[in-house]
Amino acid sequence: MLKRFYTVLVLGAALACNASPAKPIKVDGSTNLQPTEQQGTVCRTVAQIISSSNYKRVPLNDSLSAVIFDRYLKSLDETHIYFTANDIANFSKYKLTLDDDIKAGNLNNIFYIFNVFQKRQIDHYNFQLAQLNKTFDFTQNDSFIADREKLPWGTEAELDNYWAKRTKYDMLNLNLAKSDIAKNKETLTKRYQNLLSQVNKLSNDDVFQIFMTEFTGAIDPHTAYLNPSNAAQFNIEMSRSLEGIGATLTTKNEYITIQSLVPGGPADKTHLVNAGDRIIGVAQGADGEFVDIIGWRTDNAIKLIRGAKGTTVKLKLLPQGKTGADKPNIVDIVREKIVLQDQLVKKETRTYNSNGKTYKVGIINVPAFYNDARSGETNYHSTTRDMKLVLDSLKRENVDGIVVDLRENGGGSLAEAISLTGLFIKTGPVVQVREPNGIEVDTDDDPSIAYTGPMAVLVDRFSASASEIFSGAIQDYGRGLIIGTQTYGKGSVQSPIDLDRVITSFGDRVANVVRGNRTRAGNGENTYGQLNLTIAKFYRISGGSTQHRGVIPDIQFPSVIPLDKYGEDTEPSAMPYDVIPRSDYVKVGDLTPIIPQLTKMHEQRMNSNPNYKYLLQDIADYKKSEEEKSVPLNEQQLKKQRDADEQKTFERDNLRRVALGLPALKKGAPKPKKEDLDFLKFEAGQIVIDYMNMGDKYTRVNNMGTFKQ
């Protein structure tokens, strides 16, 4: 299929290069960034690929144009703090014409909108600098609404009022930490000047990437264009061979935010850094001076954070749920080379006492579905190979059951998901892959079974893709219990397309492209970028797709991750759930009769478990904080609120520790790094013990690959 559309697209791209762009529109007060002819060519080519070859076919018409328009404005100004109502009214003439602009490769209207946005940013940051010349009164009973997303677009006067209050709020946050107005004004002056500097450093590549992200995202969440630098970064991250702290960063509301941590990476190993933390300062070495990075571009922040292995970087962090008025955490991290060896399958053994008997349960953490066969080493690592070694070790320890922990496992190799499933079943289909031209069933053909005992799979909202294939197959076969929260619902397949090959390659060179094997047509750096194209859809062997719905656990835990904010079903452009005919497979057993009893036993334990109560309180507090849109600008009120929140968190953390048999900490004392406070993991093991006591006919596989009867 790829060869066919490459041939068509090469001709299309060659013909499209002759189009002439419209005249650019200048915006006084901006840097007047303008698109290049090359970007226009890429835009046309990507549109053609998506229209002809994306799995989800969406016509590029006025209806989609309106969606792209709204997404683009939201990406620039989600909280309605830059554009005025007049700006939006002015832009409305482009709402139904972006489809025509994309087909023609005319990016001038897109760049015009961005240049107006840049002008507004520059104006507002200069306005903040001017506000610093005023005297601040923190005794007034005033408040500040930081997030205007739900409010209508404002007038210039309304936005001036917002930015005046925001400046006062910035000053109040610093004043709560240290009451030195002169020093705090100096700090904010540097911050706002830095913001101006960052805005003025924006390039046309940045604008093009922002727009193309929203264009491709309007089709489906996982079809994505990456400009040359982002394409290089994507492929570096896929190789897992960076030197740094092991974290993926993004920008949210002017903050550099930790999106995810590399399992086993330097940041993860501190146990002091978490997804959702905001980085507000970076220092080099043990004694380096902190650089304020609020408002920085992500790529510029990454350059400051990344460095040679063995060197130290210090981060000033605001944890999720905290405000700028809260005291930040300072964490020292020694940079390392992020290698595969720190992301392997790992095990631990937990001991349980139940009904007067002692049980051992192996907890196996699977951080990703990886395969390093291309390294050329004989003893290469893969999820399946490493899992088999772990299982052999646990069997020597005579464990009574296992828990496969797939929480925060976003997926990886499809082949590994299939072969990993094969360790627990005899033979049979594992997943169905539906392409435009038919359905392919991927099977496990190895009759050997590495583990025949009781098992459960622990999942959460960030278990996605290959994790959903494995857990879905285990559930469909009735091979084990699925425990946790509804998974992400990412059931689509992407293929990375090197646009250099599409735009510049002809003839036999196109034939070198095959599905799943990304090869370059020539030498040198990528010029046009990369398109991750959705080409197929996953289905469980029972017929239902993992797309949109994910995997629903047999026994459900409350979700710390907000289900209404994260997951495929929160994406407006996500493909829907649907069903195809089931595969021909024989179930290992049927766990349906015992799930109600297991659920009842779990709920009885949780009703008397203090940590379960604290977890529910944490979830409720998070929801409450999300609903609170305004903060006081009165110093005493804000300090009282912050102190109360800190005390509440401190007391709850100690109650949680005591419930787990750990000593309470004194205020200000550092938290031990290697303590495991994950009571849900412990509960998963307890459920396995309950499950095991239901008898061999539900828990143990015989030589025929089915449960003993």
Side-chain angles (χ1 to χ4, degrees), residues 256-272:
I256 300 298
T257 303
I258 295 176
Q259 189 173 44
S260 63
L261 297 176
V262 174
D268 184 45
K269 288 192 290 189
T270 67
H271 299 289
L272 299 172

PDB file of all heavy atoms in Angstrom, residues 256-272:
ATOM      1  N   ILE A 256       7.032  25.276  31.852  1.00  0.00           N
ATOM      2  CA  ILE A 256       7.635  24.061  31.335  1.00  0.00           C
ATOM      3  C   ILE A 256       7.185  22.930  32.257  1.00  0.00           C
ATOM      4  O   ILE A 256       7.493  22.931  33.451  1.00  0.00           O
ATOM      5  CB  ILE A 256       9.171  24.154  31.312  1.00  0.00           C
ATOM      6  CG1 ILE A 256       9.622  25.319  30.425  1.00  0.00           C
ATOM      7  CG2 ILE A 256       9.780  22.837  30.829  1.00  0.00           C
ATOM      8  CD1 ILE A 256       9.228  25.192  28.976  1.00  0.00           C
ATOM      9  N   THR A 257       6.437  21.987  31.707  1.00  0.00           N
ATOM     10  CA  THR A 257       5.785  20.965  32.518  1.00  0.00           C
ATOM     11  C   THR A 257       6.297  19.582  32.149  1.00  0.00           C
ATOM     12  O   THR A 257       6.501  19.279  30.975  1.00  0.00           O
ATOM     13  CB  THR A 257       4.254  21.017  32.307  1.00  0.00           C
ATOM     14  OG1 THR A 257       3.791  22.333  32.620  1.00  0.00           O
ATOM     15  CG2 THR A 257       3.542  20.013  33.201  1.00  0.00           C
ATOM     16  N   ILE A 258       6.527  18.758  33.163  1.00  0.00           N
ATOM     17  CA  ILE A 258       6.981  17.386  32.932  1.00  0.00           C
ATOM     18  C   ILE A 258       5.788  16.553  32.485  1.00  0.00           C
ATOM     19  O   ILE A 258       4.835  16.362  33.237  1.00  0.00           O
ATOM     20  CB  ILE A 258       7.624  16.795  34.188  1.00  0.00           C
ATOM     21  CG1 ILE A 258       8.901  17.574  34.523  1.00  0.00           C
ATOM     22  CG2 ILE A 258       7.934  15.308  33.996  1.00  0.00           C
ATOM     23  CD1 ILE A 258       9.576  17.147  35.792  1.00  0.00           C
ATOM     24  N   GLN A 259       5.829  16.099  31.252  1.00  0.00           N
ATOM     25  CA  GLN A 259       4.736  15.317  30.683  1.00  0.00           C
ATOM     26  C   GLN A 259       4.816  13.861  31.102  1.00  0.00           C
ATOM     27  O   GLN A 259       3.810  13.229  31.422  1.00  0.00           O
ATOM     28  CB  GLN A 259       4.754  15.434  29.160  1.00  0.00           C
ATOM     29  CG  GLN A 259       3.545  14.851  28.468  1.00  0.00           C
ATOM     30  CD  GLN A 259       3.561  15.167  26.980  1.00  0.00           C
ATOM     31  OE1 GLN A 259       4.586  15.051  26.317  1.00  0.00           O
ATOM     32  NE2 GLN A 259       2.436  15.577  26.442  1.00  0.00           N
ATOM     33  N   SER A 260       6.029  13.311  31.105  1.00  0.00           N
ATOM     34  CA  SER A 260       6.223  11.930  31.518  1.00  0.00           C
ATOM     35  C   SER A 260       7.677  11.727  31.898  1.00  0.00           C
ATOM     36  O   SER A 260       8.547  12.521  31.535  1.00  0.00           O
ATOM     37  CB  SER A 260       5.837  10.962  30.398  1.00  0.00           C
ATOM     38  OG  SER A 260       6.670  11.155  29.267  1.00  0.00           O
ATOM     39  N   LEU A 261       7.926  10.660  32.649  1.00  0.00           N
ATOM     40  CA  LEU A 261       9.279  10.307  33.061  1.00  0.00           C
ATOM     41  C   LEU A 261       9.682   8.990  32.423  1.00  0.00           C
ATOM     42  O   LEU A 261       8.858   8.080  32.293  1.00  0.00           O
ATOM     43  CB  LEU A 261       9.359  10.169  34.588  1.00  0.00           C
ATOM     44  CG  LEU A 261       9.063  11.423  35.409  1.00  0.00           C
ATOM     45  CD1 LEU A 261       9.085  11.083  36.898  1.00  0.00           C
ATOM     46  CD2 LEU A 261      10.050  12.525  35.112  1.00  0.00           C
ATOM     47  N   VAL A 262      10.947   8.896  32.036  1.00  0.00           N
ATOM     48  CA  VAL A 262      11.473   7.631  31.522  1.00  0.00           C
ATOM     49  C   VAL A 262      11.663   6.699  32.710  1.00  0.00           C
ATOM     50  O   VAL A 262      12.404   7.029  33.649  1.00  0.00           O
ATOM     51  CB  VAL A 262      12.815   7.846  30.809  1.00  0.00           C
ATOM     52  CG1 VAL A 262      13.427   6.511  30.405  1.00  0.00           C
ATOM     53  CG2 VAL A 262      12.636   8.737  29.592  1.00  0.00           C
ATOM     54  N   PRO A 263      10.980   5.552  32.738  1.00  0.00           N
ATOM     55  CA  PRO A 263      11.157   4.615  33.853  1.00  0.00           C
ATOM     56  C   PRO A 263      12.628   4.245  34.017  1.00  0.00           C
ATOM     57  O   PRO A 263      13.299   3.866  33.061  1.00  0.00           O
ATOM     58  CB  PRO A 263      10.319   3.398  33.438  1.00  0.00           C
ATOM     59  CG  PRO A 263       9.301   3.948  32.488  1.00  0.00           C
ATOM     60  CD  PRO A 263       9.994   5.052  31.753  1.00  0.00           C
ATOM     61  N   GLY A 264      13.128   4.390  35.231  1.00  0.00           N
ATOM     62  CA  GLY A 264      14.525   4.072  35.490  1.00  0.00           C
ATOM     63  C   GLY A 264      15.483   5.186  35.137  1.00  0.00           C
ATOM     64  O   GLY A 264      16.693   5.041  35.325  1.00  0.00           O
ATOM     65  N   GLY A 265      14.969   6.307  34.627  1.00  0.00           N
ATOM     66  CA  GLY A 265      15.825   7.439  34.285  1.00  0.00           C
ATOM     67  C   GLY A 265      16.227   8.220  35.524  1.00  0.00           C
ATOM     68  O   GLY A 265      15.691   8.023  36.615  1.00  0.00           O
ATOM     69  N   PRO A 266      17.184   9.158  35.384  1.00  0.00           N
ATOM     70  CA  PRO A 266      17.671   9.916  36.544  1.00  0.00           C
ATOM     71  C   PRO A 266      16.575  10.643  37.314  1.00  0.00           C
ATOM     72  O   PRO A 266      16.558  10.616  38.540  1.00  0.00           O
ATOM     73  CB  PRO A 266      18.656  10.909  35.908  1.00  0.00           C
ATOM     74  CG  PRO A 266      19.091  10.266  34.650  1.00  0.00           C
ATOM     75  CD  PRO A 266      17.913   9.497  34.147  1.00  0.00           C
ATOM     76  N   ALA A 267      15.647  11.301  36.613  1.00  0.00           N
ATOM     77  CA  ALA A 267      14.569  12.015  37.309  1.00  0.00           C
ATOM     78  C   ALA A 267      13.661  11.041  38.042  1.00  0.00           C
ATOM     79  O   ALA A 267      13.268  11.279  39.189  1.00  0.00           O
ATOM     80  CB  ALA A 267      13.767  12.854  36.317  1.00  0.00           C
ATOM     81  N   ASP A 268      13.330   9.935  37.397  1.00  0.00           N
ATOM     82  CA  ASP A 268      12.453   8.940  38.000  1.00  0.00           C
ATOM     83  C   ASP A 268      13.084   8.342  39.254  1.00  0.00           C
ATOM     84  O   ASP A 268      12.402   8.113  40.261  1.00  0.00           O
ATOM     85  CB  ASP A 268      12.156   7.848  36.971  1.00  0.00           C
ATOM     86  CG  ASP A 268      11.177   6.802  37.475  1.00  0.00           C
ATOM     87  OD1 ASP A 268      10.163   7.185  38.074  1.00  0.00           O
ATOM     88  OD2 ASP A 268      11.424   5.608  37.268  1.00  0.00           O
ATOM     89  N   LYS A 269      14.379   8.121  39.220  1.00  0.00           N
ATOM     90  CA  LYS A 269      15.050   7.468  40.341  1.00  0.00           C
ATOM     91  C   LYS A 269      15.161   8.359  41.571  1.00  0.00           C
ATOM     92  O   LYS A 269      15.412   7.861  42.665  1.00  0.00           O
ATOM     93  CB  LYS A 269      16.443   6.980  39.911  1.00  0.00           C
ATOM     94  CG  LYS A 269      16.379   5.778  38.977  1.00  0.00           C
ATOM     95  CD  LYS A 269      17.733   5.117  38.774  1.00  0.00           C
ATOM     96  CE  LYS A 269      18.688   5.958  37.965  1.00  0.00           C
ATOM     97  NZ  LYS A 269      19.909   5.224  37.597  1.00  0.00           N
ATOM     98  N   THR A 270      14.968   9.662  41.417  1.00  0.00           N
ATOM     99  CA  THR A 270      14.987  10.528  42.604  1.00  0.00           C
ATOM    100  C   THR A 270      13.752  10.319  43.464  1.00  0.00           C
ATOM    101  O   THR A 270      13.757  10.624  44.653  1.00  0.00           O
ATOM    102  CB  THR A 270      15.046  12.009  42.209  1.00  0.00           C
ATOM    103  OG1 THR A 270      13.818  12.384  41.572  1.00  0.00           O
ATOM    104  CG2 THR A 270      16.225  12.308  41.299  1.00  0.00           C
ATOM    105  N   HIS A 271      12.661   9.847  42.856  1.00  0.00           N
ATOM    106  CA  HIS A 271      11.355   9.717  43.519  1.00  0.00           C
ATOM    107  C   HIS A 271      10.835  11.063  44.007  1.00  0.00           C
ATOM    108  O   HIS A 271       9.951  11.120  44.864  1.00  0.00           O
ATOM    109  CB  HIS A 271      11.417   8.723  44.688  1.00  0.00           C
ATOM    110  CG  HIS A 271      11.801   7.338  44.290  1.00  0.00           C
ATOM    111  ND1 HIS A 271      10.961   6.499  43.576  1.00  0.00           N
ATOM    112  CD2 HIS A 271      12.963   6.646  44.469  1.00  0.00           C
ATOM    113  CE1 HIS A 271      11.572   5.350  43.359  1.00  0.00           C
ATOM    114  NE2 HIS A 271      12.780   5.414  43.878  1.00  0.00           N
ATOM    115  N   LEU A 272      11.389  12.131  43.474  1.00  0.00           N
ATOM    116  CA  LEU A 272      10.984  13.479  43.875  1.00  0.00           C
ATOM    117  C   LEU A 272      10.425  14.276  42.705  1.00  0.00           C
ATOM    118  O   LEU A 272      10.021  15.425  42.871  1.00  0.00           O
ATOM    119  CB  LEU A 272      12.182  14.225  44.478  1.00  0.00           C
ATOM    120  CG  LEU A 272      12.801  13.610  45.737  1.00  0.00           C
ATOM    121  CD1 LEU A 272      14.089  14.344  46.104  1.00  0.00           C
ATOM    122  CD2 LEU A 272      11.814  13.642  46.888  1.00  0.00           C
TER     123      LEU A 272
END
